[in-house]
Amino acid sequence: MKPGPFIHSGFTTQRLMFITTLAMIPMVAASIWENGFDAMILYVVSILSVFCMEFICQRRVIFEYSALITAVLLVLMLPANAPWWISVVGAILAVGIGKYFFGGFGQNIFNPAVLSRVLLMALFPAIFIMPEWTVDGVSGATLLSKEIGASMPSLSSLLLSSSPGSLAQAMPITVLLGGVILLVYKLIDWRVPLFYLATISLLSILLPGSEKILGHVPYLLGNPLLHIIAGGSLLTSFFLLTDPVSSPFSSNGRVVYAIIAGVFTMIIRYYTPYPDGAAFGVLLANAMVPTIDKYMLKLEASVF
Amino acid sequence: MKIPKLKNQLHSPIQRIRLPDSIQLQINGCIPLVITGDVVAAGSLIAKSATVGNIERSIHSPFNGRVTSVSHSTVDIEGDWPNAQTSAAHYEATGIEADKIRESCRMAGIVGMGGAMTPTHLKLIPHRPIDTVLVNICESEPFLTCDHRVLEEYPHEIECGLKLAMTAVGAENGLVAPKINNYTSGYERFLVEETLGRKVPVNRRPTDVGVLVLNLQTVRALYHAVFEQRPLTERVITVDGDAIKRPGNYLVPIGTKVGHILECCGWDENISKQIIIGGPMMGDSADKNTPITAGTGGVLALTSEQTAKVKDNPCIRCGLCMDACPLGLWPGQMDRNPSADLLACITCGACQFVCPAQRPIVKNIQKAKNAYLQKSDSL
């Protein structure tokens, strides 16, 4: 039996997760800068809770960057005014249900942080609801649902200034910076953000408006830039969709996957009461990964 | 992610290594023609296989010496035995017609020196019409530079050897395959496709599309056999790795033990973590007593920083193994869903090289392949 190669590229899971952690630092810093002590508390509580959950599930003390990433991503998707205990519940859901229900790291179908965020939204809708929209049943807290006046904000103000919504939206340019770091180190497939954002842009122009859009946020119609920058799309495209465990195996499969996520995101944004469909888009695309893999492998196996 | 070349010894001229005190010839499948205590001369026949059809192998002594032990798989020879003759050619060259070339090749015991070690005279029998002879100089394994040096220093011998091979199979074209930058392009099927544009179907050989692929050093051995009446008893290997103080390309007698080579090249035992015989991708682990065979391209002594660690972390489905696989297979998951894909795998190791989880993919695939073969046999 051949012993296999004796040399290795040196690119290991640990290294991948470590650089991803570094890439998230600008986002975290920006969100703390904007929201102060409240945001800091959320991060600390979330990280502590995730590692406690890991200890309970694995029965040993571990330090893994993947767990740290889940904890930070979870907080980045929370609204800034969320109470501290929400990150405890979020950590329990992410690690317990998102990861160990499926058999642990590497076996999870869904991105643990996204699954946890969606469950939180179902369990505690009040936290994710902007007060002024409750009467309409429009829950959520992003620029996509908030009336910001008749005029569309400028690109620089969109990129640099804080918009109400999740912590990741504190300064969208930091999300972009993190994404560029991931792309430069080739930690993520460039196809995923490209095709995801392209699908969103295209659909924002092509999709006909609904009562929801026309009634509250008419400027969203046919405005790709706002759809890319203002919602959770940037964080989703670089950090959530690209999670290797819950995305397809082959590069062609990842293109299909990104497009599917984009379509779901836009349908939810336009035609459902939920303000931002990015999280749902990720989950639905995650669920389709086994199917995508199956058909893509059949296609690609025609090498012979 | 590309497999690194690490061709550090591209410009080191071939040196003859100090003759070892003793050697061990691997004679698996051959019948020894000597007994313990026999005095043998350089080039004399040591073992020969029973002739079954055309298949025949013969193994010769690389130097003058005395046989110290004989077993069913090995013959040990001790060198510098004072009464031995200085050299002996045990057969006579007969000419350069196709038949005569094959005969010389058979007598000289030439085998494929790329690693497969198939008797070359068999490959020189044209069962199908062959129009092109391709000399494989890809040397895709990292570190190995011996073939490159041989071509650089003995181009005339390669040219003559190639012409002999062309005469033997009746081919019109001879080609020294250009170097291609890809690790897996050295694999015969890809080489033929890339250089000649002929697609070799799975489980077929290049001869099925009219191409004979020969290793560079095999071609040189053919030249020696026909024009110099020298049997195959030595080859050029690359010795490298960070635990070697004097790396380079060395001419070594076949049968030399790894320990002797390491000693001659300044092996630092303290920092040496892994000794490899062959290349770092598809080679084998070795110890000091492992002998060099005709198919060995190199001896490497890697430090612990250079050596891969196998960790078996969970697969993160990153898809890098699939991108690395030259056949477009799904190496990381193939062992879980056994299929005919397993048989297509050439165990090149590119998948395991890139795997971030450091999983033993090649081992898993080989296990699954064996299980799959047993299962399909029993059906």
Side-chain angles (χ1 to χ4, degrees):
Chain A
M1 210 141 90
K2 281 204 167 70
F6 292 99
I7 51 176
H8 190 267
S9 67
F11 178 73
T12 62
T13 311
Q14 281 292 308
R15 196 175 132 81
L16 186 155
M17 296 296 176
F18 175 68
I19 301 175
T20 309
T21 311
L22 292 185
M24 295 200 305
I25 288 177
M27 288 190 290
V28 173
S31 66
I32 293 177
W33 173 264
E34 288 283 338
N35 302 292
F37 192 64
D38 287 350
M40 186 110 83
I41 288 287
L42 284 176
Y43 285 115
V44 172
V45 170
S46 171
I47 291 169
L48 286 178
S49 317
V50 161
F51 281 102
C52 282
M53 272 306 284
E54 288 281 350
F55 175 72
I56 292 166
C57 293
Q58 289 202 23
R59 309 255 158 66
R60 66 194 171 91
V61 183
I62 52 123
F63 178 77
E64 271 170 9
Y65 286 111
S66 68
L68 186 66
I69 290 170
T70 303
V72 174
L73 281 179
L74 178 67
V75 178
L76 283 169
M77 284 185 286
L78 292 177
N81 56 352
W84 64 270
W85 52 265
I86 204 87
S87 40
V88 179
V89 182
I92 292 170
L93 294 174
V95 179
I97 294 182
K99 207 158 144 188
Y100 287 97
F101 261 35
F102 291 97
F105 181 63
Q107 309 275 321
N108 45 308
I109 298 172
F110 300 110
N111 185 325
V114 180
L115 183 70
S116 163
R117 150 80 200 237
V118 168
L119 289 175
L120 283 178
M121 197 138 76
L123 290 171
F124 310 102
I127 290 167
F128 296 87
I129 286 171
M130 292 286 281
E132 62 262 45
W133 291 106
T134 43
V135 269
D136 300 320
V138 177
S139 64
T142 80
L143 195 60
L144 297 184
S145 65
K146 190 172 176 278
E147 197 127 22
I148 48 167
S151 68
M152 154 86 187
S154 73
L155 179 62
S156 61
S157 71
L158 269 178
L159 278 174
L160 292 170
S161 73
S162 169
S163 63
S166 62
L167 284 167
Q169 273 138 254
M171 212 184 271
I173 201 163
T174 54
V175 184
L176 213 54
L177 178 69
V180 170
I181 294 175
L182 296 182
L183 284 173
V184 166
Y185 280 93
K186 293 189 178 159
L187 301 186
I188 60 172
D189 189 343
W190 54 270
R191 294 174 189 88
V192 174
L194 179 73
F195 281 91
Y196 178 71
L197 296 177
T199 308
I200 286 184
S201 314
L202 197 67
L203 287 184
S204 72
I205 296 167
L206 293 181
L207 280 182
S210 65
E211 202 181 316
K212 169 195 170 192
I213 296 284
L214 294 174
H216 302 298
V217 277
Y219 56 87
L220 271 183
L221 205 59
N223 206 337
L225 206 58
L226 206 58
H227 277 280
I228 289 175
I229 298 171
S233 316
L234 275 184
L235 184 75
T236 303
S237 65
F238 290 114
F239 288 91
L240 303 178
L241 268 184
T242 52
D243 168 31
V245 177
S246 52
S247 59
F249 210 78
S250 65
S251 40
N252 291 341
R254 285 192 285 262
V255 172
V256 178
Y257 162 82
I259 293 174
I260 289 174
V263 170
F264 280 133
T265 303
M266 287 311 285
I267 289 179
I268 289 161
R269 274 186 188 169
Y270 268 46
Y271 305 113
T272 71
Y274 291 101
D276 195 347
F280 286 104
V282 175
L283 278 200
L284 289 167
N286 283 168
M288 289 193 67
V289 166
T291 315
I292 296 172
D293 274 344
K294 191 176 148 194
Y295 286 101
M296 279 300 148
L297 278 175
K298 269 188 194 163
L299 272 178
E300 285 170 15
S302 56
V303 177
F304 307 115
Chain B
M1 214 173 301
K2 275 197 173 170
I3 315 283
K5 292 188 180 297
L6 305 167
K7 304 278 188 193
N8 313 319
Q9 305 308 319
L10 270 185
H11 305 292
S12 316
I14 299 169
Q15 301 166 62
R16 183 178 279 278
I17 210 158
R18 180 164 56 79
L19 277 186
D21 296 335
S22 69
I23 56 150
Q24 186 176 61
L25 294 169
Q26 303 267 7
I27 59 159
N28 298 31
C30 297
I31 302 150
L33 303 174
V34 290
I35 55 164
T36 309
D38 277 1
V39 174
V40 293
S44 55
L45 199 58
I46 298 295
K48 198 173 169 186
S49 71
T51 310
V52 183
N54 285 313
I55 299 172
E56 188 185 287
R57 277 196 65 190
S58 40
I59 291 158
H60 306 83
S61 170
F63 58 24
N64 306 320
R66 193 187 61 135
V67 177
T68 52
S69 84
V70 176
S71 77
H72 68 283
S73 61
T74 55
V75 172
D76 284 272
I77 301 171
E78 201 177 71
D80 275 342
W81 190 248
N83 294 333
Q85 291 174 315
T86 48
S87 92
H90 74 289
Y91 66 91
E92 285 171 21
T94 42
I96 51 165
E97 295 84 48
D99 280 353
K100 305 281 166 61
I101 293 169
R102 279 194 288 273
E103 183 65 8
S104 296
C105 187
R106 187 175 63 84
M107 300 288 276
I110 298 176
V111 292
M113 291 166 81
M117 303 222 285
T118 2
T120 303
H121 69 271
L122 289 180
K123 291 183 89 175
L124 293 182
I125 303 169
H127 292 293
R128 288 181 186 74
I130 284 170
D131 57 63
T132 308
V133 177
L134 203 64
V135 182
N136 188 350
I137 57 158
C138 277
E139 214 169 26
S140 36
E141 283 273 5
F143 291 109
L144 304 193
T145 53
C146 48
D147 286 3
H148 173 88
R149 286 313 305 178
V150 170
L151 183 64
E152 195 100 311
E153 296 181 30
Y154 305 98
H156 171 69
E157 298 185 7
I158 304 302
E159 195 188 333
C160 292
L162 176 57
K163 284 194 173 141
L164 290 173
M166 284 158 61
T167 313
V169 295
E172 285 164 17
N173 309 312
L175 199 65
V176 176
K179 290 215 170 196
I180 300 160
N181 285 334
N182 193 348
Y183 162 60
T184 43
S185 58
Y187 181 50
E188 285 187 345
R189 282 183 47 220
F190 301 144
L191 188 72
V192 170
E193 195 179 332
E194 283 184 43
T195 51
L196 298 168
R198 296 184 202 175
K199 210 167 165 69
V200 184
V202 185
N203 300 328
R204 291 291 178 148
R205 318 210 112 257
T207 45
D208 294 325
V209 293
V211 184
L212 175 68
V213 182
L214 291 174
N215 174 270
L216 182 97
Q217 296 207 41
T218 313
V219 173
R220 186 174 177 226
L222 187 62
Y223 165 85
H224 286 158
V226 174
F227 291 119
E228 295 177 7
Q229 295 88 52
R230 268 163 58 189
L232 175 61
T233 58
E234 54 187 18
R235 66 160 295 146
V236 180
I237 63 165
T238 302
V239 185
D240 202 356
D242 281 359
I244 299 282
K245 287 194 195 103
R246 292 182 294 280
N249 300 295
Y250 292 92
L251 182 66
V252 297
I254 290 166
T256 309
K257 286 179 184 160
V258 167
H260 174 75
I261 294 167
L262 292 175
E263 192 192 310
C264 292
C265 299
W267 179 47
D268 190 339
E269 194 169 354
N270 299 323
I271 58 167
S272 173
K273 162 90 176 167
Q274 177 73 52
I275 303 171
I276 302 162
I277 190 160
M281 296 298 287
M282 295 180 75
D284 232 320
S285 59
D287 58 40
K288 284 186 183 175
N289 289 320
T290 316
I292 299 294
T293 66
T296 305
V299 170
L300 305 172
L302 304 185
T303 58
S304 54
E305 290 90 63
Q306 286 181 302
T307 314
K309 289 159 198 73
V310 172
K311 290 220 174 117
D312 214 355
N313 286 330
C315 170
I316 56 167
R317 298 172 38 88
C318 59
L320 284 176
C321 58
M322 193 181 220
D323 295 341
C325 180
L327 294 161
L329 304 172
W330 191 355
Q333 302 279 312
M334 250 165 31
D335 53 322
R336 295 197 200 166
N337 314 305
S339 71
D341 279 0
L342 283 166
L343 307 180
C345 172
I346 54 172
T347 58
C348 72
C351 47
Q352 192 171 329
F353 175 83
V354 299
C355 179
Q358 293 156 287
R359 294 174 64 78
I361 300 179
V362 173
K363 199 172 103 192
N364 293 347
I365 288 179
Q366 288 180 101
K367 269 189 201 161
K369 194 190 263 184
N370 292 342
Y372 181 79
L373 284 175
Q374 273 170 15
K375 205 173 131 196
S376 47
D377 278 352
S378 63
L379 284 173

